[in-house]
Amino acid sequence: MIANRLPVLRAERRWSQAELADRINVSRQTIVSLENGRYEPTLKVAMRLSAVFGTPIEAIFTPDPDDLARVRVG
């Protein structure tokens, strides 16, 4: 599962889950699920989050090291 910094970034801006959801045009439940690790974002949602926080996607989401170990390079 992909870890994320959404609760921290949201708290720094004093946004509620509902406000963040409204800003990126998703449901509050989507934000709840993302923050609790029950849902991995689509690329579109990740890009919206990156834009709203003004930070690269990689600064918001951290991939599971075990998942990355499955990648074959070359």
Side-chain angles (χ1 to χ4, degrees):
M1 183 57 68
I2 296 175
N4 69 72
R5 297 184 57 237
L6 290 178
V8 172
L9 294 169
R10 189 173 52 73
E12 289 173 353
R13 287 154 182 82
R14 297 186 176 151
W15 294 344
S16 67
Q17 291 172 330
E19 186 173 357
L20 176 56
D22 186 56
R23 288 174 180 265
I24 67 164
N25 197 33
V26 298
S27 70
R28 186 187 70 80
Q29 188 58 42
T30 297
I31 300 301
V32 170
S33 294
L34 284 166
E35 288 186 357
N36 292 328
R38 291 190 307 257
Y39 170 71
E40 291 186 358
T42 63
L43 181 56
K44 183 182 284 189
V45 168
M47 291 175 80
R48 288 177 187 175
L49 289 164
S50 174
V52 79
F53 288 124
T55 189
I57 292 172
E58 298 87 348
I60 302 171
F61 298 98
T62 305
D64 180 342
D66 292 335
D67 189 48
L68 289 179
R70 295 183 178 124
V71 175
R72 288 184 284 160
V73 179

